[in-house]
Amino acid sequence: LFAVALFFIPSVLTSNPTITITPESALVDEELNLEIKQLHPLEEISLEATSKDQHGVKWSSKQYFIADSKGNLKIFNPLSLIYSMEPHNDSVGLFTPPFSSLEIQLKGYNKKGSLICKNTFQRKLFNDDIEQQFIDNGDIKAWLCMPKEIKSSIVVVSLSGSNGGYSGTRARLLASKGIPSLALAYFGK
């Protein structure tokens, strides 16, 4: 009986946690499923998400979780890890994503601060198959974003905020969903 108990102790004391993210690549607003398996039962971990904006500034967030009695952890609102990111540089105000996709690295740490698991996933800001056409007739400057397959009989006019310019990211995302969109620069460049 003692030999059998010694045989099972190492498997209980060691674990090789894995982070599973599905889908690994999708549009930025699509549902994300995140699970961590093979933790110790009721293990407390911190999960850190990091990414870089288009200027190379690192952004990150950290949240704390407890595994269930089987050593598994399902994150029910994983997008909050992305939405709660803060810059490492205090001079940056808003996150400006890279042009086409966002790479996010997740790292899991145990209570002692040791890295126990990691994974990387991407969120695209738009699909590659949309058509974009720049319109400049003097007074009107805009980007027309057309989906490969039109799923809407309306066209959305996307306006930027108080900084002016184009809201191209929003228009491209809408076109990726099948909605023709016009990113209109109603002032500014």
Side-chain angles (χ1 to χ4, degrees):
L1 183 62
F2 181 70
V4 172
L6 287 177
F7 176 74
F8 287 108
I9 287 176
S11 64
V12 172
L13 295 177
T14 61
S15 68
N16 190 17
T18 57
I19 300 176
T20 304
I21 303 155
T22 54
E24 287 183 15
S25 181
L27 289 172
V28 72
D29 66 338
E30 292 179 9
E31 186 175 325
L32 171 69
N33 295 304
L34 196 155
E35 293 183 80
I36 303 176
K37 294 186 177 183
Q38 299 177 348
L39 294 164
H40 294 294
L42 305 176
E43 182 175 4
E44 296 178 36
I45 68 159
S46 62
L47 194 57
E48 179 183 54
T50 59
S51 188
K52 289 186 178 179
D53 65 16
Q54 69 176 223
H55 306 292
V57 175
K58 184 178 176 182
W59 290 65
S60 66
S61 67
K62 186 180 275 190
Q63 295 180 7
Y64 298 88
F65 301 95
I66 300 175
D68 66 17
S69 61
K70 295 179 182 177
N72 297 318
L73 176 61
K74 180 167 176 53
I75 312 295
F76 287 101
N77 186 15
L79 290 177
S80 67
L81 284 159
I82 300 169
Y83 300 145
S84 63
M85 285 185 180
E86 294 183 354
H88 287 222
N89 178 345
D90 291 337
S91 67
V92 177
L94 294 174
F95 183 84
T96 308
F99 179 71
S100 62
S101 69
L102 181 63
E103 183 174 280
I104 301 150
Q105 185 172 54
L106 293 176
K107 291 181 179 179
Y109 297 91
N110 62 18
K111 281 179 76 171
K112 295 178 182 177
S114 299
L115 178 67
I116 57 171
C117 55
K118 65 180 180 177
N119 200 345
T120 301
F121 65 100
Q122 286 194 342
R123 287 295 175 256
K124 298 183 295 183
L125 301 178
F126 59 92
N127 287 332
D128 296 332
D129 62 356
I130 65 168
E131 292 182 32
Q132 300 179 73
Q133 179 183 353
F134 184 66
I135 300 168
D136 182 358
N137 71 355
D139 292 334
I140 295 178
K141 293 182 179 12
W143 278 98
L144 178 62
C145 302
M146 294 296 293
K148 181 178 180 180
E149 181 182 332
I150 297 175
K151 297 179 182 175
S152 172
S153 61
I154 62 168
V155 174
V156 172
V157 177
S158 180
L159 303 173
S160 64
S162 61
N163 289 332
Y166 306 98
S167 58
T169 301
R170 187 178 319 121
R172 288 188 293 272
L173 179 61
L174 288 168
S176 297
K177 300 287 186 177
I179 303 168
S181 303
L182 182 71
L184 179 65
Y186 65 103
F187 74 92
K189 296 181 181 180

